Amino acid sequence: MIYYQSRSPDAPARVSRTPVVLDDSDEIQRCREIYDNELAELYRQAINNISQGEWIFSEHEFALQQRKQQAIADLSALLDNESLTAKGRTKAAEQLILLGDTRGEKFLFDSLDSDSKELRLAALKSLREWNLDLDFSSPERTSILLAQLDTADQEIILAAAELCIYRKIPGTEDRLTTLLEAGKLTDPEPVAMELAEIATTQQAVKALLPHVLQNKSDEFSQWTGYTFEQLIENPDPKISGPVKQALYDYTLQFPEQRNDQILVECLAKSANKAAIPVLKEILNNAKDPVSRTYAIGALARLQPDQALDLLTSHIKQEGPGYSTMRLLQTYATEQDYDQIIPIIEEWTQKSEDVLDTEVLRLCLLKFGNRGEQFVREHLDQLTDQARMRARWKLEGLNLHSALKELHISGVIQTSPDELIKKINEAGSRSEDTDLFDPSNPDSLYSWKASW
C-alpha cells in the first residue's frame, strides 16, 4: 500500500486561476488550426482502427461526431467493402448506429443470415455491445436471434446465447434447456454456464447441472459464484437446493483456498447444516475479516436460535463492522437493545473507529425511541454519510422537500414529482439496499435521473 500525502491547501497553485482574454486574431486563428489538425488526426485514427476491427476511444468518437456527414460516408464505404475483415465491417456498423444512421443496424441483423461464419459471429458480438441502444422487442428479431441457437456451430451458439441473455430475449431459457437436453453439443459446459445465469425452472437446472461444477480448475474463480448467484437465491428449494449442494461440493475441492473470501462467500451462501464444522473452522482460522464475516453470517442463518449470540460475540471481537451490523438487522428485535448497544458503546470507547450507516439503520429501524436517542447522543461518532442520514431521519427531512427547494431556486428544471418518478423508473439502487427511501439523502446522488 502506498500512502500519498495530498498537497496543502496553502500550497501555491499549479496553474493561474485568473482568466485571460484572447483578442489577437492571429492567435485565435492559430488555435483554430491546431484544433482542426488534431481533429483531423483523430478522425484518421478512428477510421483506420475501425477498418481493422479495433476499438476506438471516446475522443475518436467525438471526431466522428464532429464530421458526421463525412463519417457516415466513410463508414458506409467500409460497410460495403467485402475485402475487409468481418469485424472491420461490423465495427463500422456500430459507429453508424451511434451516429444515428439506420444502415448500421440493418447490416448487423442482415449479417445474421450470412453464409460467412465470421460475419455472423462478429455481428452477434456487435449486437451485444453495451453502448448500442437497439430495439430487440419485435417478434421477427426475437425469432432470428433464437434461430442462431439452432446452428451446428458451437462458437455461433455460444455468442448467440451471450447476446440473448444480455438482451433478455424471451424464450432464451427454454431454447438453451432444449439444446442441452438434446445432448448434441461437443462442449456443453459453456452453454450450461450461460443458462445458469437465467435459469428459473427445475427442468433448466436438471439440464445444466450435469455439465457444470464437474471439473476442478487450477483455482476457484469469483465468476463461478457470480454465475450461480441467482439460482442459489431462488426461493424454491427444488430449484436452489440441487445447485447449492453442487456449488458447496465444488468449493470443497479447493482446500488451499478454503479461507479466501471469494471462495468463502460461495461456500457460505450454499452451505447447509452439514457445513457447520467447516464454517467454524473458517471462522477460527481465516485471517481475512471478510471471510470471517461470511462464515458468521452463514452460521447465523443455519442456527437462527443462536444467531444473536453468534453475532454479538463477533462484534465484541471485531467491532461493529458494516456487514455484521447489516446481518444483525435480520435477527435483532427492540427487546435486544440492552444486549447489543452496550457492546457497541464499549467498542467506541476503546477504538477510534466511527459508526457507519448500518449502525444507524439498526438503531432507527429496530430499537424504537431508545435507538433514536442513542443516535442523537452519538452524532459526533457517526461517519459523515451516516450523520447526514441521521439528521434527515431525525429532523423529518425528505427528498421531495429538498428537490422542491432546488427547483424553486432554479438549480434544477424538472419538478420534484417528475424527478422522483424518474429515479424510481431508473432502478439505480444496488440489489442489497432497501426500496427507494425519500428520507435517505443518498437518493440525491441517483445517477440515472435526468435533471
Side-chain angles (χ1 to χ4, degrees):
M1 179 180 294
I2 298 175
Y3 176 72
Y4 176 75
Q5 181 68 45
S6 60
R7 299 180 82 231
S8 167
D10 300 325
R14 290 197 175 101
V15 296
S16 172
R17 290 177 171 79
T18 303
V20 176
V21 177
L22 185 64
D23 54 7
D24 185 324
S25 59
D26 291 338
E27 187 68 14
I28 292 173
Q29 181 59 32
R30 192 177 74 85
C31 289
R32 288 173 175 167
E33 290 174 356
I34 292 173
Y35 171 78
D36 288 338
N37 290 337
E38 290 180 349
L39 191 68
E41 177 59 19
L42 285 169
Y43 184 90
R44 185 196 65 77
Q45 291 173 0
I47 295 297
N48 181 64
N49 287 6
I50 292 168
S51 69
Q52 297 180 42
E54 297 177 359
W55 295 96
I56 63 172
F57 295 97
S58 57
E59 52 265 44
H60 296 119
E61 291 181 347
F62 175 79
L64 296 178
Q65 291 283 355
Q66 295 304 302
R67 300 186 174 186
K68 185 174 180 178
Q69 295 308 314
Q70 180 186 351
I72 288 175
D74 290 343
L75 292 168
S76 297
L78 295 180
L79 208 66
D80 298 332
N81 187 350
E82 296 184 4
S83 66
L84 284 182
T85 63
K87 197 172 180 181
R89 299 175 74 189
T90 57
K91 284 297 178 187
E94 290 178 28
Q95 293 303 316
L96 281 171
I97 292 171
L98 294 175
L99 291 170
D101 190 282
T102 58
R103 280 173 288 185
E105 184 172 347
K106 183 178 186 302
F107 177 81
L108 291 180
F109 277 99
D110 287 348
S111 296
L112 298 181
D113 286 329
S114 172
D115 292 332
S116 166
K117 169 188 171 180
E118 289 72 19
L119 188 56
R120 287 174 67 190
L121 193 60
L124 287 168
K125 292 181 177 180
S126 285
L127 287 169
R128 190 194 179 282
E129 288 297 336
W130 67 271
N131 60 337
L132 298 186
D133 186 14
L134 302 174
D135 182 8
F136 291 86
S137 62
S138 71
E140 294 78 15
R141 288 192 169 180
T142 295
S143 178
I144 193 173
L145 291 177
L146 292 178
Q148 305 302 310
L149 298 171
D150 295 332
T151 183
D153 189 289
Q154 183 151 330
E155 198 172 359
I156 294 287
I157 291 173
L158 187 57
E162 292 175 353
L163 168 60
C164 289
I165 289 171
Y166 182 73
R167 296 295 187 181
K168 297 180 173 59
I169 303 301
T172 301
E173 179 182 357
D174 291 341
R175 192 66 66 94
L176 291 178
T177 300
T178 301
L179 188 62
L180 288 171
E181 289 175 335
K184 296 180 180 179
L185 295 172
T186 55
D187 183 12
E189 182 181 11
V191 176
M193 291 290 281
E194 292 295 326
L195 176 57
E197 293 188 23
I198 59 167
T200 59
T201 66
Q202 294 181 52
Q203 183 181 1
V205 169
K206 185 177 180 181
L208 70 88
L209 267 186
H211 308 296
V212 298
L213 304 174
Q214 302 297 319
N215 302 316
K216 182 179 181 295
S217 57
D218 292 337
E219 62 178 21
F220 185 84
S221 168
Q222 63 180 344
W223 297 113
T224 302
Y226 174 79
T227 298
F228 295 97
E229 185 173 18
Q230 68 90 22
L231 269 176
I232 64 177
E233 292 177 355
N234 191 298
D236 186 347
K238 292 182 179 179
I239 294 175
S240 59
V243 179
K244 284 182 177 181
Q245 187 62 56
L247 183 58
Y248 176 73
D249 291 342
Y250 184 71
T251 62
L252 295 182
Q253 297 181 42
F254 301 86
E256 66 281 3
Q257 288 181 262
R258 175 65 51 83
N259 296 325
D260 291 359
Q261 63 174 261
I262 58 171
L263 184 141
V264 177
E265 181 181 16
C266 293
L267 187 151
K269 287 181 176 179
S270 58
N272 54 32
K273 288 194 174 183
I276 289 176
V278 177
L279 292 166
K280 288 182 177 179
E281 178 187 334
I282 293 170
L283 182 62
N284 293 329
N285 297 333
K287 295 181 180 179
D288 186 340
V290 176
S291 295
R292 296 196 296 270
T293 302
Y294 286 144
I296 201 70
L299 287 168
R301 172 176 61 83
L302 296 170
Q303 305 169 101
D305 56 325
Q306 302 178 40
L308 197 61
D309 291 336
L310 286 167
L311 292 171
T312 51
S313 175
H314 191 65
I315 294 171
K316 285 181 181 178
Q317 295 178 22
E318 308 208 6
Y322 178 94
S323 299
T324 311
M325 299 309 296
R326 171 153 288 208
L327 287 168
L328 257 181
Q329 294 167 36
T330 303
Y331 304 101
T333 66
E334 189 168 350
Q335 288 69 41
D336 298 318
Y337 178 94
D338 291 321
Q339 181 177 351
I340 297 172
I341 290 300
I343 298 173
I344 296 175
E345 285 186 310
E346 181 182 353
W347 183 269
T348 59
Q349 290 171 5
K350 69 179 182 180
S351 169
E352 295 182 358
D353 290 353
V354 288
L355 304 177
D356 65 17
T357 53
E358 293 308 314
V359 176
L360 172 70
R361 283 163 52 88
L362 176 70
C363 290
L364 296 182
L365 295 178
K366 292 291 185 176
F367 294 152
N369 292 334
R370 297 177 73 189
E372 182 176 316
Q373 185 60 34
F374 176 83
V375 171
R376 291 185 185 278
E377 294 173 356
H378 294 79
L379 283 174
D380 60 335
Q381 291 178 286
L382 295 175
T383 63
D384 291 342
Q385 184 183 33
R387 190 181 305 114
M388 178 173 62
R389 286 194 183 192
R391 292 195 182 281
W392 274 53
K393 293 284 188 181
L394 297 175
E395 297 174 20
L397 300 176
N398 58 65
L399 181 59
H400 191 279
S401 62
L403 293 177
K404 184 177 180 180
E405 289 188 22
L406 293 173
H407 183 60
I408 291 173
S409 64
V411 176
I412 60 175
Q413 303 303 314
T414 310
S415 71
D417 289 338
E418 184 181 351
L419 187 52
I420 289 175
K421 181 182 177 182
K422 287 184 177 183
I423 293 173
N424 275 314
E425 291 173 349
S428 59
R429 300 174 302 276
S430 61
E431 293 180 359
D432 64 345
T433 59
D434 292 336
L435 294 177
F436 178 72
D437 180 2
S439 63
N440 174 7
D442 290 343
S443 302
L444 288 169
Y445 296 126
S446 179
W447 63 274
K448 289 267 189 176
S450 173
W451 290 16

